[in-house]
Amino acid sequence: MALTGRAGLLAALGALVVLFAPRPGLAVLGIVLLLAFLIVVDLIFAGGVRPLRFSREGERLVRLGQSVTVGLIVENPGTRRVRGVLRDAWPPSAGAAPRRLAIDVPRGERRRLTVTLTPTRRGDREAVTVTVRSLGPLGLAGRQGRHRVPWSVRVLPPFLSRRHLPAKLARLRELDGQHPALVRGQGTEFDSLREYVVGDDVRSIDWRASARRNDVVVRTWRPERDRRVLIVLDTGRTSAGRVGTAPVPTAAGQAEADRTDQGDGRRRPPPGWPRLDWSMDAALLLAALAARAGDRVDFLAYDRAVRAWLSGAARTELLSSLVNVMAPIEAELVEADSPGMVAAVLARAKRRCLVVLLTDLNATAMEEGLLPLLPQLSSRHLVLVAAVADPRVAAMASGRDTSEQVYDAAAAEQLRGERRRITSLLRRHGVEVVDALPEDVAPALADAYIALKAAGRL
Amino acid sequence: MTLQTTERSYSVSPTAASIWKRGRAIVLVAVIVVVAAVVPVLLPSGSTGGGSALDPGDSSLAGSKALAQVLGAHGVSVQRVDDVSTALAALGTDGQLLITEATDLTSSEAGRIAAAPADRLIVGQVPYLDVLAPGVISEVGGTSSRSRPPSCGLREANVAGSAYMGGSAFTGPPGSTGCYPSDGKPTLVRYTVDGRTVTVVGDGQFMTNLRLAEDGNAALAMNLAGTKPRLVWLVPPAEPDQPSGPDGSGGSDGSGGSDGAGSEPKSLGELIPSGVGWAIVELVVALGVVALWRGRRLGPVVAERLPVVVRAAETVEGRGRLYRARRARDRAALALRAATIDRITPRLGLPRTATPDEIVTGVSARTGEDPEQVRPALFGGAPADDAGLVALAGYLDTLERQVQDS
């Protein structure tokens, strides 16, 4: 049961009547009884909420930053018209709009309502409940009831770095035999023989083959194919730190931007995106590129247990499977278990492959966790560590105006020195390192992959 | 991708039966509490009148209803009056006025009573005793009340015997009779002045319902109060009821209609028409309805497990604040110098293992700066103050830029 503002207005108008009534005490009693009677009548004649039947239709997937509509079909098998308001409750970060919908379903009919979801973060969003308030003919009171109408929408990573994909694919084709500028050397394998066309490098003419035919034939080369790439995503505590500026407005960013720092009173910059999301973006670009280059891509997310594992996806469906697997992953606030991660990688990668480890170059975490175990990994596989640098640290390091800024700059340089030290240690172990700012990490990782491929080190 | 549910929707709101099942225990407890609270109030209680002391209409232990009834049974008409004017009018010549310690008199009222040609019985410590009973002086300090023998020639006292007396002792005027002495001073004094018999008693407890049955209290009270066929019992005026809510104003309106022409000034509450009070009640009802309207949520509050929001740079900012708080110029300078050296050694074509001397010579050769100036900048001690640190950072920047540009 629920009352409306009209009932309150009626009660307030009753006060005027009481003011001028000859027997005010009786008038109050009469008005209260009348109001109660009208409310009861309204409740009796309001359409029933319990017999309503709901179903949903619409999208199940949405990229972060985009909107999606979900249809809600209301069927009224009852004996009375259901007129009132409906709220389709979703979690706040699903960004459901509008908050309440007007419904008017005559008996025996059905109506379709639409709710627009604009999610502000990744993951699965489950519809909570549908609440209907069915008002009576007088509009004084209504029946209210809730229904559970299951539906979930998976919010996928936005894959913003896909705008880099055409340029990187063009560079990949330069390696391939399809491009006129043939690059031949280590890491390329014999592809085919074809007729000589003007402009081809005369050094690539296969004289023996030409001798067998009446035509001049050249050899074409292409990079190695069917190599394996294993992308390992560290979902431990270091991935939870937020860096850069979020390309998609986040709920947390809004809340944080409105709050001022209590320490020094100045407004803090919005906290940006977690390292995890930037890493996912880079992983998606790398996976798209590697799939196009003919390599097989596997994906592992690990902190203290396997959070996600994707293997053997068909090339055409790799990206959609990957975003599906990535969508619900959140950074866990625990220290990543490096021995476990290395063991998981070794157990899964039987043959030599490129292990791309997306983590942070945190000095203590690296020295205690991964560094002692790297020889196990790098002896069997080629290891590439990609990390997201913090632009705020870079900004702090260039502060020179006041002593406060210089102290901050010293702290930032201290951190960058640690990162440089870790990077050189890793390189000494034969590990490739990509350390780039959030916006650049995806193309930088793609470049590193292409360079490795060109050098035939896969 | 457009899909449709195969799962059926189902209602999750409670049914009337489930609400009753859940709430019946609470309702039962509430009913028991209400019944327990209401029943004793509705049951006829032994006391009426609210326990005012020495009141002929009060049946509590402190009241004197028993005495009034006994007097009535012996043919004395007891008149309970709460107003001095009415009392004097009702007194006539064959009446006796009883003034107790509970009576609240003003000096002018005391004067009017003293001028009245009627007997007076003054019980307890009454103000303006010198006006009401001229010549009687109350001893300072008072005495304790207990059962005392009469020890005097007063017939009423002798007949009654011992009584519960005390309170204050008096010194009577010449010709007065004193009874029930305490340390030789009587606690009951009777004398005649201007043809009126005035009796002063130190303590009124012998007249209360509590003490009336003890000793000769009842006999003494009868003898003192029943000397005349009519007894006018002066009690304090009833507490004026505060007009609380519509009931008070409605009640005063009903009675105020008859004597509305009276010249007494009316209070603000009496001037407001009764409809206003009821209209406020109606507005409270409206407020309740509005509260129910606004208080009913359309569906539940949805809670969500949110990821932690922590900026990655916070540890660096914290370290910077620590440096600042401790004025750690040595560490700050060390970090800045190490960063500069890290960046310029590859530019100078030196290995990472280059010695300070090699670096200093390399830098000064490339930039043309004095080695004696370069060395303390790159490998010197901590700056003396913050200004020195800022200057050092600036100089390191300059060196780096010159190395890069050359």
Side-chain angles (χ1 to χ4, degrees), chain B residues 213 290-291 320 339:
Chain B
V290 169

Side-chain angles (χ1 to χ4, degrees), chain A residues 234 237-238 335-336 338 359-372 414-415 417-419 421-423 425, chain B residues 315 319:
Chain A
D234 175 6
R237 65 171 179 89
T238 52
E335 187 73 46
S338 300
T359 180
D360 186 33
L361 294 174
N362 185 302
T364 48
M366 273 283 178
E367 278 176 343
E368 286 165 19
L370 198 63
L371 269 176
Q414 166 87 17
L415 180 88
E418 295 268 328
R419 281 177 90 97
R421 192 168 57 79
I422 291 293
T423 306
L425 271 174
Chain B
T315 50
R319 186 189 283 267

Side-chain angles (χ1 to χ4, degrees), chain A residues 241-252:
Chain A
R242 292 181 182 241
V243 294
T245 37
V248 175
T250 59

Side-chain angles (χ1 to χ4, degrees), chain B residues 44 115 118 224 302 324 361:
Chain B
L224 290 177
V302 183
R324 202 185 314 159
T361 14

Side-chain angles (χ1 to χ4, degrees), chain A residues 1 11 50 53-54 56-58 60 87 93 121 131 133 144 146 148 242 392 400 407 413 420, chain B residues 1 3 5 8-10 12 14 282 296-300 304-305 310 312 317 339 342 386 397:
Chain A
M1 179 199 141
R50 191 175 299 279
R53 285 206 288 268
F54 295 88
R56 289 188 195 268
E57 59 174 26
R60 285 277 195 184
R87 176 179 162 222
S93 70
R121 64 188 185 92
T131 309
R133 183 178 291 178
Q144 183 167 321
R146 287 187 280 152
R148 193 171 292 279
R242 292 181 182 241
R392 170 108 184 97
R400 291 287 185 272
Y407 280 119
E413 289 292 7
R420 273 195 301 273
Chain B
M1 185 164 54
L3 303 163
T5 38
R8 293 220 54 84
S9 68
Y10 53 95
V12 289
E282 178 61 28
R296 182 82 163 113
R297 269 196 318 265
L298 190 59
E304 185 181 7
R305 188 171 171 267
V310 51
E317 283 165 5
D342 264 9
D386 283 358
D397 272 3

Side-chain angles (χ1 to χ4, degrees), chain A residues 1-5 7-8 11-12 14-15 18-19 24-25 28 31-32 35 50 53-61 73 85 87 89-93 100 121 125 128-129 131 133 144-151 240-243 252 261 268-269 271 275 330 333 390 392-393 396 400 402-404 406-416 420, chain B residues 1-5 7-16 274-283 285-290 292-294 296-317 319-321 323-324 326-329 331-333 335-336 338-340 342-343 352 385-387 389-390 393-394 397:
Chain A
M1 179 199 141
L3 297 178
T4 64
V18 168
L19 208 52
V28 168
I31 286 168
V32 168
L35 194 64
R50 191 175 299 279
R53 285 206 288 268
F54 295 88
S55 57
R56 289 188 195 268
E57 59 174 26
E59 302 290 322
R60 285 277 195 184
L61 296 172
I73 294 161
V85 287
R87 176 179 162 222
W90 289 80
S93 70
R100 45 174 69 195
R121 64 188 185 92
R125 299 287 163 272
V128 183
T129 50
T131 309
R133 183 178 291 178
Q144 183 167 321
R146 287 187 280 152
H147 285 258
R148 193 171 292 279
V149 194
W151 192 262
R242 292 181 182 241
V243 294
D261 187 8
R268 285 175 158 202
R275 278 208 170 93
E330 291 290 348
L333 293 184
D390 193 345
R392 170 108 184 97
V393 172
M396 280 168 73
R400 291 287 185 272
T402 62
S403 63
E404 279 82 11
V406 173
Y407 280 119
D408 278 352
E413 289 292 7
Q414 166 87 17
L415 180 88
R416 297 213 292 189
R420 273 195 301 273
Chain B
M1 185 164 54
T2 298
L3 303 163
Q4 192 150 6
T5 38
E7 297 164 279
R8 293 220 54 84
S9 68
Y10 53 95
S11 176
V12 289
S13 33
T15 61
S274 67
V276 172
W278 286 106
I280 289 169
V281 171
E282 178 61 28
L283 282 178
V285 170
L287 190 71
V289 172
V290 169
L292 285 176
W293 163 44
R294 300 306 302 174
R296 182 82 163 113
R297 269 196 318 265
L298 190 59
V301 171
V302 183
E304 185 181 7
R305 188 171 171 267
L306 285 171
V308 64
V309 178
V310 51
R311 297 182 314 131
E314 261 172 21
T315 50
V316 183
E317 283 165 5
R319 186 189 283 267
R321 275 193 216 117
Y323 280 170
R324 202 185 314 159
R326 309 304 314 160
R327 300 280 159 216
R329 285 182 288 273
R331 288 181 179 274
L336 290 171
T340 306
D342 264 9
R343 280 192 292 264
R352 290 209 170 270
D385 51 6
D386 283 358
L389 184 68
V390 175
D397 272 3

Side-chain angles (χ1 to χ4, degrees), chain A residues 193-205 210 215-219:
Chain A
L193 294 169
R194 64 170 168 82
E195 286 180 11
Y196 175 85
V197 292
V198 177
D200 278 348
D201 190 352
V202 290
R203 287 175 297 183
S204 61
I205 294 172
S210 302
D215 218 345
V216 183
V217 173
V218 293
R219 286 185 192 182

